[in-house]
Amino acid sequence: MRVVAALLCFLLATCTPPKTEVRETRYVFGTLVEFVIRGADEATAKHAIAAVDRDFQRMHKDWHAWKSGGELVALNEAIAQGEDRAVSPFVLPLIEQAKRFEDMSGGLFNPAIGNLVDVWGFHADEPPQGRMPDLAAVRALAAQAPSMHDLTISDGVVHSANRAVSLDFGGFAKGVAMDMAVAKLKTMGIENAIVNAGGGLSTLGDAGERMWKLGIRDPRDWGVIASVELMGGESLHTSGNYERFVEADGVRYSHILNPHSGMPVDHLVSVSVIHTDGALADAAATALTVAGPQAWTEVAKSMGIVFVMVVDKQGTVYASSEMLARVTFEPGKALKVVASEPLSQGVVLSQMRQSVSPSIR
Ligand code: ADP
Ligand code: MG
């Protein structure tokens, strides 16, 4: 009888898993990262979140271009000195990935422009206000045309043919981190989760038999302009030139730079991208911000991006027809909506997360 009772409990436990929701927030990458885990018991969820948080701390240290003591800082110093340096398998895949994204974006996404980011002051958690950088220095740096392709890697040792290269993974590291976070949660027995770093998030499973419903921020007033449903395994990344900027003489200079001129982009306000590869979605959101109103559809196509929504300064929304089919606008928020041509031709929609797999010792 006791055996039957025990078996019954076991069956009930497996048939109806506890409907818990665990929410926790961590501060990392200079921002708050929210975890939502559904359908797992609390102890498992908390244990998994703690493990991901440890990974985040390592990413923050070793992928940061300016926090001393990390691998990327040491590599950048070596490059500036004209020296070669061995890089660990925790950093190497990001370099390879960055090369790919630079190619796919026709050079608009360029993580080799760390020195330009530095001159503008965007390396600081709080960019300094009220002063312009030395524009002659900006022009001189841009003229040295730093590119990921200046780097060659042999047996894990990085050599740069250009001492002006300085790596800054800020344009896609959050995408890599959010993807790695949900992948780690999965290996730790979590089936349904969302890891959300504000401007970028990745999902796993569903939100309790429903898709995950997320808001896309209105760049004009910090409210929500539209909502979108995500399937498990999709990521949503938004880049904006409204959030981080240097203000001088009443002009706002955004933290997203045109690598060719070294100057901040000023045309678009925000770009949101959905893709199953979060690193690519993050890189593309940055690249399409640089591409601007004339070129974003072309660059989206060359990067294999189908779901894009752009909001400009006037509150006009431009979106691929595929994206429009997925979003619901908040009443009265989008002043005008313009559908672009479809972007999905020739793109394999079922592409899965496949990008980087930095190994964590
Ligand atoms: P967020 O800061 O919200 O993650 P992004 O993903 O758009 O926004 O990344 C912006 C950061 O990327 C900048 O702060 C800078 O470090 C870096 N960056 C700026 N311009 C470029 C560019 N053209 N290509 C690659 N990285 C860039
Ligand atoms: Mg980005």
Side-chain angles (χ1 to χ4, degrees):
M1 188 61 206
R2 287 219 329 255
V3 174
V4 173
L7 189 63
L8 193 64
C9 287
F10 172 73
L11 284 175
L12 281 174
T14 50
C15 296
T16 51
K19 292 276 180 224
T20 55
E21 177 178 287
V22 174
R23 280 178 186 262
E24 287 203 8
T25 304
R26 294 286 192 279
Y27 185 77
V28 69
F29 312 126
T31 188
L32 291 174
V33 179
E34 187 187 39
F35 294 79
V36 179
I37 293 182
R38 296 225 168 111
D41 68 84
E42 198 174 333
T44 306
K46 291 199 162 181
H47 182 61
I49 290 170
V52 171
D53 192 34
R54 281 192 296 277
D55 292 351
F56 280 166
Q57 302 307 329
R58 169 135 189 238
M59 293 170 195
H60 189 53
K61 177 170 142 289
D62 283 330
W63 296 353
H64 200 292
W66 292 280
K67 290 242 183 303
S68 66
E71 253 202 281
L72 200 59
V73 172
L75 175 60
N76 282 337
E77 280 167 7
I79 292 171
Q81 301 294 321
E83 291 165 7
D84 295 352
R85 190 175 170 98
V87 168
S88 82
F90 190 64
V91 171
L92 221 41
L94 277 90
I95 298 178
E96 303 287 4
Q97 185 75 309
K99 280 190 183 184
R100 239 186 85 222
F101 293 156
E102 186 182 330
D103 281 345
M104 292 165 84
S105 68
L108 298 187
F109 183 77
N110 182 353
I113 61 168
N115 287 326
L116 280 166
V117 173
D118 188 285
V119 165
W120 277 97
F122 293 120
H123 60 292
D125 285 345
E126 296 292 331
Q129 299 300 322
R131 64 152 191 100
M132 284 293 283
D134 175 358
L135 290 182
V138 168
R139 279 192 292 273
L141 274 171
Q144 293 180 69
S147 161
M148 293 307 300
H149 292 283
D150 291 320
L151 303 184
T152 42
I153 302 163
S154 156
D155 287 335
V157 174
V158 177
H159 167 79
S160 178
N162 183 351
R163 285 166 73 158
V165 167
S166 173
L167 301 181
D168 168 17
F169 296 152
F172 77 117
K174 232 189 258 173
V176 181
M178 298 304 110
D179 276 1
M180 283 181 71
V182 290
K184 176 84 158 228
L185 293 176
K186 195 172 176 191
T187 65
M188 297 191 73
I190 306 298
E191 288 172 9
N192 308 296
I194 188 158
V195 187
N196 186 351
L201 59 89
S202 292
T203 65
L204 176 70
D206 58 45
E209 281 99 51
R210 282 172 291 114
M211 298 213 280
W212 298 98
K213 194 170 180 187
L214 281 312
I216 295 180
R217 200 192 279 162
D218 187 335
R220 293 162 301 165
D221 64 6
W222 301 92
V224 168
I225 191 165
S227 61
V228 63
E229 288 190 320
L230 295 192
M231 289 178 284
E234 285 188 316
S235 300
L236 168 67
H237 283 268
T238 299
S239 269
N241 47 4
Y242 52 95
E243 209 168 321
R244 273 174 71 73
F245 49 80
V246 167
E247 192 159 346
D249 301 328
V251 179
R252 287 184 172 186
Y253 296 93
S254 115
H255 69 142
I256 297 175
L257 306 178
N258 183 324
H260 303 304
S261 64
M263 295 300 287
V265 301
D266 67 352
H267 32 238
L268 297 177
V269 177
S270 85
V271 177
S272 298
V273 172
I274 298 172
H275 199 277
T276 47
D277 179 342
L280 174 58
D282 193 358
T286 307
L288 298 188
T289 306
V290 181
Q294 307 303 326
W296 70 266
T297 51
E298 279 316 302
V299 179
K301 281 193 260 180
S302 75
M303 297 188 83
I305 300 296
V306 170
F307 302 106
V308 191
M309 185 172 121
V310 173
V311 186
D312 77 5
K313 284 177 186 156
Q314 284 72 42
T316 303
V317 174
Y318 302 84
S320 60
S321 45
E322 294 88 347
M323 184 70 154
L324 279 182
R326 295 183 66 169
V327 297
T328 308
F329 290 103
E330 291 292 308
K333 283 295 211 148
L335 294 188
K336 189 173 150 203
V337 179
V338 181
S340 83
E341 60 188 300
L343 299 175
S344 50
Q345 226 168 9
V347 173
V348 184
L349 279 176
S350 60
Q351 277 168 343
M352 292 310 291
R353 279 183 190 134
Q354 44 93 32
S355 49
V356 269
S357 48
S359 69
I360 296 184
R361 285 188 295 263

PDB file of all heavy atoms in Angstrom, residues 277-308:
ATOM      1  N   ASP A 277      19.342  33.764 -32.707  1.00  0.00           N
ATOM      2  CA  ASP A 277      20.721  33.948 -32.263  1.00  0.00           C
ATOM      3  C   ASP A 277      20.804  35.345 -31.626  1.00  0.00           C
ATOM      4  O   ASP A 277      20.819  36.358 -32.325  1.00  0.00           O
ATOM      5  CB  ASP A 277      21.649  33.835 -33.476  1.00  0.00           C
ATOM      6  CG  ASP A 277      23.115  34.037 -33.115  1.00  0.00           C
ATOM      7  OD1 ASP A 277      23.397  34.585 -32.028  1.00  0.00           O
ATOM      8  OD2 ASP A 277      23.973  33.643 -33.924  1.00  0.00           O
ATOM      9  N   GLY A 278      20.845  35.373 -30.301  1.00  0.00           N
ATOM     10  CA  GLY A 278      20.795  36.654 -29.591  1.00  0.00           C
ATOM     11  C   GLY A 278      22.004  37.526 -29.861  1.00  0.00           C
ATOM     12  O   GLY A 278      21.895  38.757 -29.894  1.00  0.00           O
ATOM     13  N   ALA A 279      23.168  36.909 -30.047  1.00  0.00           N
ATOM     14  CA  ALA A 279      24.378  37.693 -30.333  1.00  0.00           C
ATOM     15  C   ALA A 279      24.204  38.432 -31.652  1.00  0.00           C
ATOM     16  O   ALA A 279      24.534  39.618 -31.777  1.00  0.00           O
ATOM     17  CB  ALA A 279      25.600  36.767 -30.389  1.00  0.00           C
ATOM     18  N   LEU A 280      23.644  37.730 -32.635  1.00  0.00           N
ATOM     19  CA  LEU A 280      23.405  38.345 -33.945  1.00  0.00           C
ATOM     20  C   LEU A 280      22.345  39.440 -33.834  1.00  0.00           C
ATOM     21  O   LEU A 280      22.490  40.524 -34.430  1.00  0.00           O
ATOM     22  CB  LEU A 280      22.971  37.268 -34.950  1.00  0.00           C
ATOM     23  CG  LEU A 280      22.546  37.747 -36.337  1.00  0.00           C
ATOM     24  CD1 LEU A 280      23.646  38.537 -37.019  1.00  0.00           C
ATOM     25  CD2 LEU A 280      22.132  36.554 -37.214  1.00  0.00           C
ATOM     26  N   ALA A 281      21.278  39.179 -33.065  1.00  0.00           N
ATOM     27  CA  ALA A 281      20.225  40.193 -32.906  1.00  0.00           C
ATOM     28  C   ALA A 281      20.802  41.462 -32.288  1.00  0.00           C
ATOM     29  O   ALA A 281      20.490  42.573 -32.718  1.00  0.00           O
ATOM     30  CB  ALA A 281      19.095  39.643 -32.028  1.00  0.00           C
ATOM     31  N   ASP A 282      21.677  41.298 -31.294  1.00  0.00           N
ATOM     32  CA  ASP A 282      22.276  42.446 -30.618  1.00  0.00           C
ATOM     33  C   ASP A 282      23.184  43.223 -31.587  1.00  0.00           C
ATOM     34  O   ASP A 282      23.098  44.451 -31.712  1.00  0.00           O
ATOM     35  CB  ASP A 282      23.069  41.948 -29.402  1.00  0.00           C
ATOM     36  CG  ASP A 282      23.470  43.062 -28.454  1.00  0.00           C
ATOM     37  OD1 ASP A 282      23.178  44.231 -28.752  1.00  0.00           O
ATOM     38  OD2 ASP A 282      24.096  42.761 -27.415  1.00  0.00           O
ATOM     39  N   ALA A 283      24.034  42.485 -32.300  1.00  0.00           N
ATOM     40  CA  ALA A 283      24.939  43.128 -33.263  1.00  0.00           C
ATOM     41  C   ALA A 283      24.125  43.833 -34.352  1.00  0.00           C
ATOM     42  O   ALA A 283      24.442  44.955 -34.766  1.00  0.00           O
ATOM     43  CB  ALA A 283      25.864  42.093 -33.893  1.00  0.00           C
ATOM     44  N   ALA A 284      23.056  43.186 -34.800  1.00  0.00           N
ATOM     45  CA  ALA A 284      22.258  43.756 -35.893  1.00  0.00           C
ATOM     46  C   ALA A 284      21.538  45.019 -35.446  1.00  0.00           C
ATOM     47  O   ALA A 284      21.432  45.986 -36.207  1.00  0.00           O
ATOM     48  CB  ALA A 284      21.263  42.726 -36.410  1.00  0.00           C
ATOM     49  N   ALA A 285      21.025  45.028 -34.193  1.00  0.00           N
ATOM     50  CA  ALA A 285      20.338  46.232 -33.707  1.00  0.00           C
ATOM     51  C   ALA A 285      21.302  47.420 -33.739  1.00  0.00           C
ATOM     52  O   ALA A 285      20.928  48.534 -34.131  1.00  0.00           O
ATOM     53  CB  ALA A 285      19.791  46.006 -32.302  1.00  0.00           C
ATOM     54  N   THR A 286      22.552  47.182 -33.369  1.00  0.00           N
ATOM     55  CA  THR A 286      23.557  48.249 -33.405  1.00  0.00           C
ATOM     56  C   THR A 286      23.869  48.628 -34.863  1.00  0.00           C
ATOM     57  O   THR A 286      23.900  49.806 -35.217  1.00  0.00           O
ATOM     58  CB  THR A 286      24.834  47.796 -32.668  1.00  0.00           C
ATOM     59  OG1 THR A 286      24.467  47.342 -31.362  1.00  0.00           O
ATOM     60  CG2 THR A 286      25.840  48.932 -32.544  1.00  0.00           C
ATOM     61  N   ALA A 287      24.098  47.620 -35.708  1.00  0.00           N
ATOM     62  CA  ALA A 287      24.456  47.880 -37.113  1.00  0.00           C
ATOM     63  C   ALA A 287      23.343  48.623 -37.849  1.00  0.00           C
ATOM     64  O   ALA A 287      23.607  49.539 -38.635  1.00  0.00           O
ATOM     65  CB  ALA A 287      24.753  46.557 -37.823  1.00  0.00           C
ATOM     66  N   LEU A 288      22.091  48.253 -37.586  1.00  0.00           N
ATOM     67  CA  LEU A 288      20.980  48.902 -38.301  1.00  0.00           C
ATOM     68  C   LEU A 288      20.776  50.335 -37.819  1.00  0.00           C
ATOM     69  O   LEU A 288      20.300  51.193 -38.569  1.00  0.00           O
ATOM     70  CB  LEU A 288      19.682  48.098 -38.139  1.00  0.00           C
ATOM     71  CG  LEU A 288      19.710  46.669 -38.698  1.00  0.00           C
ATOM     72  CD1 LEU A 288      18.318  46.053 -38.656  1.00  0.00           C
ATOM     73  CD2 LEU A 288      20.242  46.614 -40.116  1.00  0.00           C
ATOM     74  N   THR A 289      21.159  50.597 -36.570  1.00  0.00           N
ATOM     75  CA  THR A 289      21.121  51.986 -36.089  1.00  0.00           C
ATOM     76  C   THR A 289      22.108  52.816 -36.890  1.00  0.00           C
ATOM     77  O   THR A 289      21.826  53.944 -37.289  1.00  0.00           O
ATOM     78  CB  THR A 289      21.453  52.039 -34.578  1.00  0.00           C
ATOM     79  OG1 THR A 289      20.578  51.151 -33.883  1.00  0.00           O
ATOM     80  CG2 THR A 289      21.268  53.444 -34.024  1.00  0.00           C
ATOM     81  N   VAL A 290      23.293  52.247 -37.165  1.00  0.00           N
ATOM     82  CA  VAL A 290      24.286  52.959 -37.977  1.00  0.00           C
ATOM     83  C   VAL A 290      23.773  53.096 -39.417  1.00  0.00           C
ATOM     84  O   VAL A 290      23.908  54.151 -40.039  1.00  0.00           O
ATOM     85  CB  VAL A 290      25.652  52.225 -37.965  1.00  0.00           C
ATOM     86  CG1 VAL A 290      26.674  52.998 -38.809  1.00  0.00           C
ATOM     87  CG2 VAL A 290      26.170  52.039 -36.541  1.00  0.00           C
ATOM     88  N   ALA A 291      23.149  52.037 -39.926  1.00  0.00           N
ATOM     89  CA  ALA A 291      22.702  52.043 -41.329  1.00  0.00           C
ATOM     90  C   ALA A 291      21.717  53.173 -41.597  1.00  0.00           C
ATOM     91  O   ALA A 291      21.753  53.801 -42.655  1.00  0.00           O
ATOM     92  CB  ALA A 291      22.075  50.693 -41.676  1.00  0.00           C
ATOM     93  N   GLY A 292      20.821  53.426 -40.641  1.00  0.00           N
ATOM     94  CA  GLY A 292      19.925  54.566 -40.784  1.00  0.00           C
ATOM     95  C   GLY A 292      18.758  54.325 -41.726  1.00  0.00           C
ATOM     96  O   GLY A 292      18.602  53.233 -42.283  1.00  0.00           O
ATOM     97  N   PRO A 293      17.936  55.361 -41.930  1.00  0.00           N
ATOM     98  CA  PRO A 293      16.680  55.194 -42.652  1.00  0.00           C
ATOM     99  C   PRO A 293      16.849  54.752 -44.102  1.00  0.00           C
ATOM    100  O   PRO A 293      15.968  54.092 -44.647  1.00  0.00           O
ATOM    101  CB  PRO A 293      16.041  56.589 -42.599  1.00  0.00           C
ATOM    102  CG  PRO A 293      17.064  57.513 -42.066  1.00  0.00           C
ATOM    103  CD  PRO A 293      18.137  56.723 -41.426  1.00  0.00           C
ATOM    104  N   GLN A 294      17.968  55.114 -44.723  1.00  0.00           N
ATOM    105  CA  GLN A 294      18.144  54.748 -46.132  1.00  0.00           C
ATOM    106  C   GLN A 294      18.549  53.288 -46.306  1.00  0.00           C
ATOM    107  O   GLN A 294      18.179  52.638 -47.270  1.00  0.00           O
ATOM    108  CB  GLN A 294      19.235  55.617 -46.797  1.00  0.00           C
ATOM    109  CG  GLN A 294      19.039  57.101 -46.654  1.00  0.00           C
ATOM    110  CD  GLN A 294      17.703  57.541 -47.217  1.00  0.00           C
ATOM    111  OE1 GLN A 294      17.212  56.995 -48.199  1.00  0.00           O
ATOM    112  NE2 GLN A 294      17.095  58.520 -46.575  1.00  0.00           N
ATOM    113  N   ALA A 295      19.347  52.791 -45.374  1.00  0.00           N
ATOM    114  CA  ALA A 295      20.040  51.518 -45.651  1.00  0.00           C
ATOM    115  C   ALA A 295      19.643  50.356 -44.746  1.00  0.00           C
ATOM    116  O   ALA A 295      20.150  49.251 -44.915  1.00  0.00           O
ATOM    117  CB  ALA A 295      21.558  51.748 -45.562  1.00  0.00           C
ATOM    118  N   TRP A 296      18.722  50.575 -43.759  1.00  0.00           N
ATOM    119  CA  TRP A 296      18.527  49.497 -42.787  1.00  0.00           C
ATOM    120  C   TRP A 296      17.986  48.205 -43.399  1.00  0.00           C
ATOM    121  O   TRP A 296      18.358  47.116 -42.980  1.00  0.00           O
ATOM    122  CB  TRP A 296      17.701  49.957 -41.573  1.00  0.00           C
ATOM    123  CG  TRP A 296      16.243  50.231 -41.819  1.00  0.00           C
ATOM    124  CD1 TRP A 296      15.683  51.432 -42.108  1.00  0.00           C
ATOM    125  CD2 TRP A 296      15.164  49.285 -41.776  1.00  0.00           C
ATOM    126  NE1 TRP A 296      14.315  51.299 -42.251  1.00  0.00           N
ATOM    127  CE2 TRP A 296      13.975  49.997 -42.050  1.00  0.00           C
ATOM    128  CE3 TRP A 296      15.073  47.913 -41.532  1.00  0.00           C
ATOM    129  CZ2 TRP A 296      12.725  49.377 -42.087  1.00  0.00           C
ATOM    130  CZ3 TRP A 296      13.834  47.296 -41.569  1.00  0.00           C
ATOM    131  CH2 TRP A 296      12.670  48.020 -41.850  1.00  0.00           C
ATOM    132  N   THR A 297      17.126  48.326 -44.430  1.00  0.00           N
ATOM    133  CA  THR A 297      16.579  47.073 -44.995  1.00  0.00           C
ATOM    134  C   THR A 297      17.684  46.284 -45.705  1.00  0.00           C
ATOM    135  O   THR A 297      17.746  45.065 -45.588  1.00  0.00           O
ATOM    136  CB  THR A 297      15.420  47.333 -45.987  1.00  0.00           C
ATOM    137  OG1 THR A 297      15.846  48.302 -46.937  1.00  0.00           O
ATOM    138  CG2 THR A 297      14.173  47.804 -45.295  1.00  0.00           C
ATOM    139  N   GLU A 298      18.581  46.998 -46.391  1.00  0.00           N
ATOM    140  CA  GLU A 298      19.676  46.311 -47.096  1.00  0.00           C
ATOM    141  C   GLU A 298      20.587  45.593 -46.105  1.00  0.00           C
ATOM    142  O   GLU A 298      20.980  44.444 -46.297  1.00  0.00           O
ATOM    143  CB  GLU A 298      20.515  47.324 -47.901  1.00  0.00           C
ATOM    144  CG  GLU A 298      19.916  47.702 -49.229  1.00  0.00           C
ATOM    145  CD  GLU A 298      19.369  46.501 -49.989  1.00  0.00           C
ATOM    146  OE1 GLU A 298      20.166  45.569 -50.246  1.00  0.00           O
ATOM    147  OE2 GLU A 298      18.165  46.470 -50.307  1.00  0.00           O
ATOM    148  N   VAL A 299      20.924  46.301 -45.015  1.00  0.00           N
ATOM    149  CA  VAL A 299      21.836  45.707 -44.032  1.00  0.00           C
ATOM    150  C   VAL A 299      21.138  44.555 -43.300  1.00  0.00           C
ATOM    151  O   VAL A 299      21.748  43.523 -43.012  1.00  0.00           O
ATOM    152  CB  VAL A 299      22.377  46.775 -43.061  1.00  0.00           C
ATOM    153  CG1 VAL A 299      23.297  46.163 -42.025  1.00  0.00           C
ATOM    154  CG2 VAL A 299      23.123  47.862 -43.837  1.00  0.00           C
ATOM    155  N   ALA A 300      19.836  44.711 -43.046  1.00  0.00           N
ATOM    156  CA  ALA A 300      19.091  43.606 -42.412  1.00  0.00           C
ATOM    157  C   ALA A 300      19.184  42.368 -43.296  1.00  0.00           C
ATOM    158  O   ALA A 300      19.455  41.258 -42.814  1.00  0.00           O
ATOM    159  CB  ALA A 300      17.636  44.001 -42.186  1.00  0.00           C
ATOM    160  N   LYS A 301      18.997  42.571 -44.593  1.00  0.00           N
ATOM    161  CA  LYS A 301      19.045  41.415 -45.500  1.00  0.00           C
ATOM    162  C   LYS A 301      20.435  40.796 -45.494  1.00  0.00           C
ATOM    163  O   LYS A 301      20.584  39.579 -45.440  1.00  0.00           O
ATOM    164  CB  LYS A 301      18.635  41.833 -46.920  1.00  0.00           C
ATOM    165  CG  LYS A 301      17.124  41.955 -47.065  1.00  0.00           C
ATOM    166  CD  LYS A 301      16.705  42.043 -48.513  1.00  0.00           C
ATOM    167  CE  LYS A 301      16.422  43.476 -48.885  1.00  0.00           C
ATOM    168  NZ  LYS A 301      16.002  43.680 -50.245  1.00  0.00           N
ATOM    169  N   SER A 302      21.462  41.638 -45.521  1.00  0.00           N
ATOM    170  CA  SER A 302      22.812  41.063 -45.578  1.00  0.00           C
ATOM    171  C   SER A 302      23.181  40.371 -44.264  1.00  0.00           C
ATOM    172  O   SER A 302      24.051  39.521 -44.233  1.00  0.00           O
ATOM    173  CB  SER A 302      23.847  42.124 -45.972  1.00  0.00           C
ATOM    174  OG  SER A 302      24.104  42.981 -44.893  1.00  0.00           O
ATOM    175  N   MET A 303      22.475  40.720 -43.179  1.00  0.00           N
ATOM    176  CA  MET A 303      22.753  40.051 -41.901  1.00  0.00           C
ATOM    177  C   MET A 303      21.782  38.895 -41.626  1.00  0.00           C
ATOM    178  O   MET A 303      21.864  38.241 -40.590  1.00  0.00           O
ATOM    179  CB  MET A 303      22.717  41.059 -40.750  1.00  0.00           C
ATOM    180  CG  MET A 303      23.785  42.140 -40.858  1.00  0.00           C
ATOM    181  SD  MET A 303      23.904  43.209 -39.402  1.00  0.00           S
ATOM    182  CE  MET A 303      24.936  42.221 -38.297  1.00  0.00           C
ATOM    183  N   GLY A 304      20.860  38.658 -42.561  1.00  0.00           N
ATOM    184  CA  GLY A 304      19.913  37.556 -42.362  1.00  0.00           C
ATOM    185  C   GLY A 304      18.861  37.860 -41.305  1.00  0.00           C
ATOM    186  O   GLY A 304      18.348  36.974 -40.640  1.00  0.00           O
ATOM    187  N   ILE A 305      18.526  39.145 -41.163  1.00  0.00           N
ATOM    188  CA  ILE A 305      17.551  39.561 -40.149  1.00  0.00           C
ATOM    189  C   ILE A 305      16.192  39.794 -40.810  1.00  0.00           C
ATOM    190  O   ILE A 305      16.100  40.510 -41.808  1.00  0.00           O
ATOM    191  CB  ILE A 305      18.009  40.874 -39.463  1.00  0.00           C
ATOM    192  CG1 ILE A 305      19.363  40.679 -38.784  1.00  0.00           C
ATOM    193  CG2 ILE A 305      16.954  41.370 -38.487  1.00  0.00           C
ATOM    194  CD1 ILE A 305      19.381  39.692 -37.659  1.00  0.00           C
ATOM    195  N   VAL A 306      15.151  39.208 -40.242  1.00  0.00           N
ATOM    196  CA  VAL A 306      13.812  39.304 -40.812  1.00  0.00           C
ATOM    197  C   VAL A 306      12.885  40.189 -39.970  1.00  0.00           C
ATOM    198  O   VAL A 306      12.071  40.941 -40.502  1.00  0.00           O
ATOM    199  CB  VAL A 306      13.211  37.880 -40.939  1.00  0.00           C
ATOM    200  CG1 VAL A 306      11.739  37.935 -41.289  1.00  0.00           C
ATOM    201  CG2 VAL A 306      13.992  37.080 -41.986  1.00  0.00           C
ATOM    202  N   PHE A 307      13.047  40.100 -38.652  1.00  0.00           N
ATOM    203  CA  PHE A 307      12.121  40.822 -37.763  1.00  0.00           C
ATOM    204  C   PHE A 307      12.791  42.088 -37.225  1.00  0.00           C
ATOM    205  O   PHE A 307      13.656  42.019 -36.347  1.00  0.00           O
ATOM    206  CB  PHE A 307      11.690  39.917 -36.599  1.00  0.00           C
ATOM    207  CG  PHE A 307      11.041  38.648 -37.066  1.00  0.00           C
ATOM    208  CD1 PHE A 307      11.707  37.433 -36.992  1.00  0.00           C
ATOM    209  CD2 PHE A 307       9.758  38.674 -37.603  1.00  0.00           C
ATOM    210  CE1 PHE A 307      11.106  36.264 -37.432  1.00  0.00           C
ATOM    211  CE2 PHE A 307       9.146  37.505 -38.051  1.00  0.00           C
ATOM    212  CZ  PHE A 307       9.823  36.289 -37.967  1.00  0.00           C
ATOM    213  N   VAL A 308      12.426  43.231 -37.776  1.00  0.00           N
ATOM    214  CA  VAL A 308      13.027  44.507 -37.386  1.00  0.00           C
ATOM    215  C   VAL A 308      11.948  45.572 -37.215  1.00  0.00           C
ATOM    216  O   VAL A 308      11.027  45.660 -38.030  1.00  0.00           O
ATOM    217  CB  VAL A 308      13.971  45.076 -38.481  1.00  0.00           C
ATOM    218  CG1 VAL A 308      14.786  46.247 -37.938  1.00  0.00           C
ATOM    219  CG2 VAL A 308      14.847  44.027 -39.078  1.00  0.00           C
TER     220      VAL A 308
END
